[in-house]
Amino acid sequence: MPEPPDTPTRRRFSTSERAALYLAADGYCTRCGTDLESGWHADHVTPYSLDGPTDVLNGQALCAPCNLKKGSKQLMQLRQWQRRAVDAFYASDSENFLVSATPGAGKTKFSLYLAQDLLQRGIVDRVAVVAPSDNLRVQWADEASAAGLPLYPVAPGDSDGYNKAGYTGCVVTYQQLLGTGGSLMRHAMRRRTFVILDEVHHAGDNKSWGEALRTAVEPAVHRLCLTGTPWRRDATSPIPFVRYDTDGTVAVDYAYEYGAAVADGVCRRIEFHAYDGEARWTDPARVRRSTIEENGKSHVSVEFTAKLGANMPDEDVSAALDTVYEPKYAWMPSILAQADAMLTEVREDVPDAAGLVIAERQWLAQGYAELLQQITGTRPPVVVSDPKADPGSRIAKSQIDQFRRGTGRWIVAVKMISEGVDIPRLAVGVYASKTQTPLFYRQVVGRFVRTRPNEEINARLIIPAVPELMRHAREIEEELRHQLEIAAEEDAKDREEGGGSSGQGMLDFRTPLSASESVFDRAILQGDEVSAEELASAQAKAQELGIPRAYAANLVPLLRAQASQAQVVATAQPVPQPREAEIPHYRREKMLRQAVETLARKVAYRRRVQPKDINIDLLRAGHPKRSKATVEELEAMLKTLTGWAAEA
């Protein structure tokens, strides 16, 4: 029996596939544009040696000289944003270049590609990477090796590793550049060097780090700075090799943010679920006097009570969070129970999906692990970041690596997994940190947005209903909605044209008294706030339709449109209303069109083709142009794309 066309071991394109590739190229070489003559090559876009499939979606028609020139030295395949960032780097003609890309978008792969390209062009002779932690130092070396770029991870105290024979370069941490490490790095740069500064904002953790970095890598030919989120200037700890705007915000040379990544299918969409609750505590340092009549006598009360969602001074926010985060009070046990129920829903579709709790302190993390053991029957691992203890960091890395490869439900961390750690199966998170800065918040969000093949799920992050954290969530979701609208406009245009601390905490005289059970306040999705009632209705509708409850939040806009339409019908007069008044129908059409745009981009990403190619495939499948499609036609289009996504 002949092999089926999609068998991965089949290397040669069939006669019909060659014909399809020739016709798709209009008889011209895809690379140089010359006429294809006898002996032209049907070539793999992603090389067969790298598990590229033998089918027309991964094929291209090349003339013989172009295919032979391509050879085995082909660099890794890039996403569209990565190719644009490479072009922007060369166009800038600057020694320093800052890229801000959302976690999970592929900053490491982009950087290693650029390093390989600079080496092949003869612009540099070696590569050096500076990372924020020992864990990331080893991770960079591993990923560089997998990409064919041997970089040596220099251990603390190893004076020979900075220019080790047999390696193209080295990987060190910012801390290693203090003292002799900086001079050793500078000495190694007698040869032309390309330097990658990962999460460069860490160079501002203290003034000495920035000064050491400047001295160590100043001789480099090019310096590529990477970050997940732009930051503002810290006058006490200036960060070298970056520019700032007049308002003190870092000036980015190329940006690829979360909204664009979701629109391109590079990252998952995330739902923010905010929970309120009441906290009670005492604070002898701040005596609030109020008269309480009890048995006819007046008393002085030093007790404070507040709801998380209320507007209150920063000091009260900190105290309220300290209280509700206590494992012994009702808020955290109820939060963890809700989170585990969410994880169970997700695991119906993704059996190895996992959850992460970000804790404020080590003793709190241990308490959460005990609570999760009571809920699930299994005690999750607890990882602690301690940069002063190298052995401890190695233990933490081992725990994280084991969890990444396993199928366990939960992992608890004390700000250990805020950046740089890749665990793509994380799908549910609990934010139990007092840190409210946008940088840290987005780093945590980045742990849950990494995609895997053949997964169509929304990640979920549970947060306290504190106004500042809610504001960060809204900003991220508004950014997503804006990028989706831009993507839709670009596709339409193409069609028209034909184309905190890890220790035990500080001395604190406040005394937490109690915390109520958590109360679901609202979810934030696509910039809209979803109430508890709406989410419950959506979950019931999902169950009725045979859709996993994990997708319930996506149904809310449709249910709103249906409810509005029903209300219009119920209150309408017997006289027929003109179609122009049917606003709910338009909203439904707009929602479906956005869903089609998003899914088409995801299919394009999975097939490694351009979005316009998916548009052509839809037309060939008998669907009309999206700009002219009716609601029913859009629904049919969405069904077709869903099938393609499952096959890709």
Side-chain angles (χ1 to χ4, degrees), residues 586-613:
Y586 164 75
R587 288 179 180 172
R588 184 168 176 232
E589 180 181 331
K590 181 179 179 181
M591 185 198 72
L592 282 169
R593 186 164 281 110
Q594 287 181 342
V596 168
E597 300 282 358
T598 301
L599 191 53
R601 284 179 170 270
K602 287 186 177 181
V603 172
Y605 168 67
R606 290 183 178 181
R607 289 183 173 182
R608 300 175 184 271
V609 298
Q610 296 298 318
K612 64 181 181 181
D613 296 326

Side-chain angles (χ1 to χ4, degrees), residues 55-112:
D55 58 41
V56 292
L57 296 176
N58 187 48
Q60 59 183 345
L62 298 180
C63 65
C66 278
N67 193 35
L68 295 174
K69 188 187 300 182
K70 177 184 170 187
S72 60
K73 293 185 178 180
Q74 181 188 35
L75 298 178
M76 65 187 78
Q77 296 295 308
L78 294 184
R79 295 167 175 165
Q80 188 176 45
W81 83 263
Q82 294 165 329
R83 291 195 297 270
R84 290 175 176 171
V86 169
D87 292 342
F89 172 85
Y90 284 116
S92 71
D93 194 27
S94 173
E95 293 180 354
N96 303 312
F97 192 80
L98 174 61
V99 171
S100 172
T102 187
K107 292 191 294 291
T108 302
K109 183 176 180 179
F110 154 72
S111 305
L112 294 174

Side-chain angles (χ1 to χ4, degrees), residues 21-77:
L21 292 176
Y22 184 94
L23 293 173
D26 290 329
Y28 299 106
C29 174
T30 305
R31 177 160 294 196
C32 70
T34 60
D35 292 336
L36 292 175
E37 299 177 348
S38 177
W40 67 274
H41 294 185
D43 175 63
H44 293 76
V45 177
T46 299
Y48 179 84
S49 60
L50 298 178
D51 297 326
T54 304
D55 58 41
V56 292
L57 296 176
N58 187 48
Q60 59 183 345
L62 298 180
C63 65
C66 278
N67 193 35
L68 295 174
K69 188 187 300 182
K70 177 184 170 187
S72 60
K73 293 185 178 180
Q74 181 188 35
L75 298 178
M76 65 187 78
Q77 296 295 308

